[in-house]
Amino acid sequence: MAIVTRTGKGSKLTIAEMDGNINTLASASLVDGVYTITSGSRTDSITALASGSIEIKSFSAGDGSVTAETLAFSPTSFEEDIIVADTYTGIQPTGGVGTGLTVTVVVNPLLVITSVTITAGGTGYKVGNEISIATSELGADPSNESTTYTLTDGDLNLDQQQRILMTPTGISMPDLPTSDPRVAGQLYNATGALKISLGE
């Protein structure tokens, strides 16, 4: 008997169909078998291993866009170049392997950069990419200096994966975040202690 599914949103399985699905799965004989569901950039799978272990995995492909609201570029003031107090829009930092990142930079009357706000996250950036803004973009002439920032995993939309491994000897979740994700109800590993996030 084949597994019964629904493709229409809100369409529910009958009790008989659910019973049939359970019976089908219970009688299945898999050797390193994989059941996969793919939707857009997300792939979910259940893998039954010949060892008797089961792996449940959810994987979502990231596009490398910058998802942070602001970035702390440094330095914020300059010894040689004289930048001009203003709000600079449409600035595209250089460097890194991605494209399309656009920011707004605010320079205060003391000629200090007070904020760099993301207006377009671009795509294709990697952890460790150093991006920079030349002082010429901030009114300096001549321009010999720049302000830089190195992207971290917290700044980017990266590949994400969570797994639950069930073996004859126990259950493990090796991909849990190691800091509070600030999503209510989500588990995380706080230095070996399993905790539940309370959200923002």
Side-chain angles (χ1 to χ4, degrees), residues 174-198:
D175 300 317
L176 288 178
T178 56
S179 60
D180 189 344
R182 301 193 180 280
V183 178
Q186 185 168 322
L187 301 175
Y188 65 101
N189 179 358
T191 318
L194 184 63
K195 294 190 176 183
I196 302 175
S197 176
L198 299 177

Side-chain angles (χ1 to χ4, degrees), residues 8-136:
K9 184 177 181 181
S11 300
K12 299 179 180 179
L13 295 176
T14 67
I15 292 177
E17 288 170 332
M18 288 188 288
D19 285 343
N21 286 348
I22 291 171
N23 290 334
T24 299
L25 291 172
S27 62
S29 177
L30 299 177
V31 179
D32 287 354
V34 182
Y35 180 72
T36 302
I37 302 171
T38 301
S39 177
S41 62
R42 177 174 171 176
T43 301
D44 299 323
S45 64
I46 301 175
T47 303
L49 303 174
S51 62
S53 303
I54 294 176
E55 178 190 74
I56 301 173
K57 181 169 69 175
S58 182
F59 174 83
S60 179
D63 63 0
S65 59
V66 179
T67 56
E69 294 182 1
T70 61
L71 298 176
F73 276 73
S74 180
T76 57
S77 60
F78 305 92
E79 295 181 0
E80 297 181 18
D81 297 348
I82 300 176
I83 58 177
V84 178
D86 204 343
T87 297
Y88 298 89
T89 61
I91 302 296
Q92 294 188 317
T94 58
V97 297
T99 58
L101 176 62
T102 307
V103 302
T104 293
V105 182
V106 176
V107 178
N108 72 9
L110 298 177
L111 307 185
V112 174
I113 297 172
T114 57
S115 67
V116 179
T117 305
I118 309 303
T119 55
T123 57
Y125 292 93
K126 304 289 185 182
V127 173
N129 280 178
E130 183 178 270
I131 54 178
S132 62
I133 300 171
T135 54
S136 59

